[in-house]
Amino acid sequence: DGGITQSPKYLFRKEGQNVTLSCEQNLNHDAMYWYRQDPGQGLRLIYYSQIVNDFQKGDIAEGYSVSREKKESFPLTVTSAQKNPTAFYLCASSIILRDTQYFGPGTRLTVL
Amino acid sequence: SQKIEQNSEALNIQEGKTATLTCNYTNYSPAYLQWYRQDPGRGPVFLLLIRENEKEKRKERLKVTFDTTLKQSLFHITASQPADSATYLCAPFFAYYGNNRLAFGKGNQVVVIP
């Protein structure tokens, strides 16, 4: 059963703590992405990766970090430097950059 | 800078009617444009892709048009049903130097009233 998974679905953290969101895909896609979505807002790109061991900053990378050690995995760390981390986070993948993107179910992060 | 514009106001439409959404863009014309559907609390799902040399694309009750002169794509849902209620995002790909990824509009919500 191919797809893209994100865990957990809901995540609560105290202010000042780093937190890592998981994203895994078994679609054999080269490209992966992280987006942030706030209520009533569109998708904002945080980071993207077009190949293992390579990633690029998106439009709102400050306060976030990523790694791409395996093709299937693209975890996102929300650091304490992110001023307003409470949001809905979406991971996506595509065969290559520019191609149709397949999205995970999302993680809703709430920082208390 | 490149802009993508979708209507921020929700479209309320009676069941059975045709819903029409607009995606406008500025400056460069996209090589292709995709439309996605997003339900509340879920990730977007790809629906249709239309290329710059195509005028129209259809999939079941969905139809997309692309007018490079008007710098606009229209998304139509014919014989709309309550299950079509969702937010629809347009995502053009602008093939200019230095750009290598899709851009997403903010989306336009559709509410189909039974």
Side-chain angles (χ1 to χ4, degrees):
Chain A
D1 189 23
I4 181 164
T5 59
Q6 292 183 243
S7 61
K9 189 167 178 65
Y10 298 96
L11 190 55
F12 297 88
R13 278 293 182 270
K14 290 182 179 179
E15 195 172 341
Q17 290 182 334
N18 290 357
V19 60
T20 298
L21 281 58
S22 167
C23 177
E24 303 277 332
Q25 55 98 359
N26 61 4
L27 300 168
N28 200 32
H29 287 172
D30 280 319
M32 295 188 75
Y33 315 78
W34 273 105
Y35 294 91
R36 169 182 173 140
Q37 191 172 39
D38 294 284
Q41 300 296 313
L43 301 175
R44 292 190 289 168
L45 183 65
I46 305 172
Y47 269 98
Y48 64 100
S49 166
Q50 55 184 324
I51 200 166
V52 175
N53 292 323
D54 181 67
F55 48 83
Q56 306 294 329
K57 291 183 180 179
D59 303 315
I60 55 164
E62 186 176 347
Y64 300 96
S65 66
V66 293
S67 63
R68 186 89 188 273
E69 297 176 1
K70 297 188 297 182
K71 188 174 185 177
E72 313 81 55
S73 179
F74 192 42
L76 173 75
T77 297
V78 184
T79 74
S80 56
Q82 169 50 231
K83 294 177 184 176
N84 188 16
T86 294
F88 187 50
Y89 291 88
L90 285 160
C91 179
S93 70
S94 61
I95 295 173
I96 57 170
L97 283 181
R98 309 181 297 172
D99 207 347
T100 299
Q101 294 185 19
Y102 295 84
F103 286 82
T107 292
R108 189 167 299 279
L109 173 65
T110 302
V111 175
L112 306 170
Chain B
S1 61
Q2 196 76 32
K3 288 185 181 177
I4 305 158
E5 295 171 345
Q6 292 188 259
N7 197 337
S8 58
E9 287 188 21
L11 175 66
N12 295 308
I13 192 161
Q14 207 70 36
E15 182 175 3
K17 300 291 187 183
T18 296
T20 298
L21 306 179
T22 303
C23 177
N24 294 304
Y25 56 88
T26 60
N27 302 335
Y28 299 99
S29 192
Y32 54 82
L33 192 147
Q34 300 184 17
W35 282 88
Y36 290 74
R37 168 185 173 140
Q38 186 176 22
D39 291 285
R42 308 189 74 162
V45 175
F46 169 74
L47 295 174
L48 281 166
L49 180 152
I50 186 166
R51 300 187 186 281
E52 62 179 336
N53 60 348
E54 297 175 317
K55 294 292 185 188
E56 182 179 297
K57 207 74 169 285
R58 289 177 185 260
K59 179 183 176 182
E60 297 172 354
R61 294 184 295 107
L62 307 179
K63 184 178 85 171
V64 173
T65 62
F66 195 177
D67 190 326
T68 55
T69 303
L70 293 178
K71 294 185 186 285
Q72 181 180 85
S73 174
L74 297 179
F75 178 83
H76 307 271
I77 307 171
T78 58
S80 59
Q81 304 168 1
D84 296 325
S85 298
T87 296
Y88 294 87
L89 295 82
C90 73
F93 173 69
F94 299 101
Y96 55 79
Y97 179 77
N99 183 56
N100 56 3
R101 51 188 171 87
L102 285 177
F104 282 88
K106 291 187 177 181
N108 195 179
Q109 186 183 10
V110 171
V111 178
V112 181
I113 304 162

